Amino acid sequence: MAEKQFNPNANHAETAPAYFSAWDIHAYYGESYIVQGVSFNIHEGEILALLGRNGAGKTSTLRALARLDSPQLTHGEIWLDHDRLHDKKSYEAAALGMGLVPEDRRIISGLTVEENLQLAQIAEPIGWSLDRIYDLFPRLRERRKQEGVTLSGGEQQMLSIARALARDIKVLLLDEPYEGLAPVIVDEIEKTLRIIKEQGITTILVEQNAVRALNLADRAVILDTGRVVYDGDAKEVLENEALRAEYLAI
């Protein structure tokens, strides 16, 4: 049988070229086969909710897309705006526009809010100057001289997202951004993500609060044991009780 060839212009349901594509991604943690042939395409400015039960492979997929060393990507292709990422290191993928906000946020101890942002910022930002970031996150402007690790959980999440934007990213990868946050803070973060979407940034959101993620997202990809079991409109998942019960336990 002839090997399938990757088509960077393919899209799940439309003829327009995909902006970001993952094709047949396989990744391992040691001997554990975690990501088992994940494929999806995203258009520029879309928000995609990457969902599934605990252990489905969501975070592992996100880390593989960001080209982190763990899990180890063993097969597949990752393309961003015609740049190939699958043979890149994490810092090279970041330079091409991938921005990962991990679940633990990784605020740098001993540095102020502004110093955390300055450390991340590229030499000559095209789109996201500090002033523009502070306009988007007024709380961070108020606390710019405060040590980052002393912020509240919600403010730390804002700082993590702001720090990614400071690198002039094209794709924002969010791992459990609502974890441990009060609903009113989640509302604020979602408002910010909608503004970021309006600026053309593409977002992939991994989130256990599936209902909130689906209400925010344009599309949803659901994983089960490392494989894609659904790729389509987020609203369809909200309306499909059987699908939600089987794969999301909601």
Side-chain angles (χ1 to χ4, degrees):
M1 180 180 296
E3 183 178 355
K4 290 176 63 178
Q5 297 297 311
F6 173 73
N7 177 6
N9 291 325
N11 188 268
H12 63 290
E14 303 181 41
T15 57
Y19 184 69
F20 178 86
S21 295
W23 181 75
D24 200 23
I25 298 300
H26 297 254
Y28 287 76
Y29 281 112
E31 298 296 319
S32 299
Y33 184 20
I34 305 297
V35 183
Q36 304 183 21
V38 168
S39 300
F40 57 83
N41 296 319
I42 314 176
H43 280 155
E44 186 174 7
E46 279 191 317
I47 298 177
L48 183 141
L50 185 61
L51 305 175
R53 296 175 184 264
N54 287 334
K58 306 181 298 298
T59 293
S60 296
T61 298
L62 212 61
R63 290 175 62 87
L65 297 179
R67 302 305 299 115
L68 300 185
D69 291 335
S70 181
Q72 182 183 11
L73 180 69
T74 60
H75 181 79
E77 299 186 12
I78 305 167
W79 293 79
L80 169 58
D81 195 18
H82 305 294
D83 289 318
R84 52 190 294 161
L85 303 186
H86 42 279
D87 55 0
K88 300 292 191 293
K89 300 292 186 181
S90 60
Y91 67 89
E92 294 173 318
L96 290 170
M98 296 292 281
L100 173 64
V101 177
E103 184 178 1
D104 60 7
R105 298 164 189 152
R106 298 187 186 176
I107 306 303
I108 301 175
S109 179
L111 298 185
T112 66
V113 167
E114 190 153 298
E115 287 168 341
N116 267 274
L117 293 173
Q118 289 172 332
L119 190 64
Q121 194 165 42
I122 62 174
E124 296 182 8
I126 298 171
W128 292 94
S129 65
L130 282 182
D131 282 341
R132 187 179 179 198
I133 289 171
Y134 284 144
D135 287 343
L136 184 61
F137 297 97
R139 288 196 194 190
L140 298 184
R141 187 194 300 273
E142 294 170 3
R143 293 159 173 75
R144 63 187 183 277
K145 300 303 181 185
Q146 183 175 333
E147 187 177 357
V149 294
T150 68
L151 299 176
S152 69
E155 290 164 348
Q156 287 191 32
Q157 189 62 265
M158 293 174 193
L159 177 55
S160 295
I161 296 171
R163 192 172 54 185
L165 294 176
R167 295 195 296 271
D168 269 351
I169 59 170
K170 297 177 180 179
V171 176
L172 178 63
L173 307 174
L174 294 171
D175 192 7
E176 304 286 359
Y178 306 159
E179 178 68 26
L181 302 183
V184 65
I185 302 300
V186 174
D187 289 343
E188 193 169 342
I189 289 173
E190 287 185 342
K191 179 181 177 181
T192 301
L193 294 178
R194 289 188 177 97
I195 294 172
I196 291 171
K197 170 184 168 67
E198 291 171 1
Q199 307 306 310
I201 292 177
T202 302
T203 299
I204 302 177
L205 169 67
V206 167
E207 178 52 53
Q208 284 297 325
N209 191 334
V211 172
R212 291 211 67 143
L214 288 165
N215 277 303
L216 176 69
D218 303 294
R219 289 182 42 233
V221 167
I222 300 176
L223 302 183
D224 185 51
T225 59
R227 298 182 178 89
V228 174
V229 293
Y230 176 88
D231 180 350
D233 194 289
K235 291 184 176 60
E236 291 180 5
V237 182
L238 287 170
E239 295 168 357
N240 190 326
E241 185 177 347
L243 181 66
R244 295 198 318 272
E246 182 172 2
Y247 294 114
L248 302 177
I250 58 173

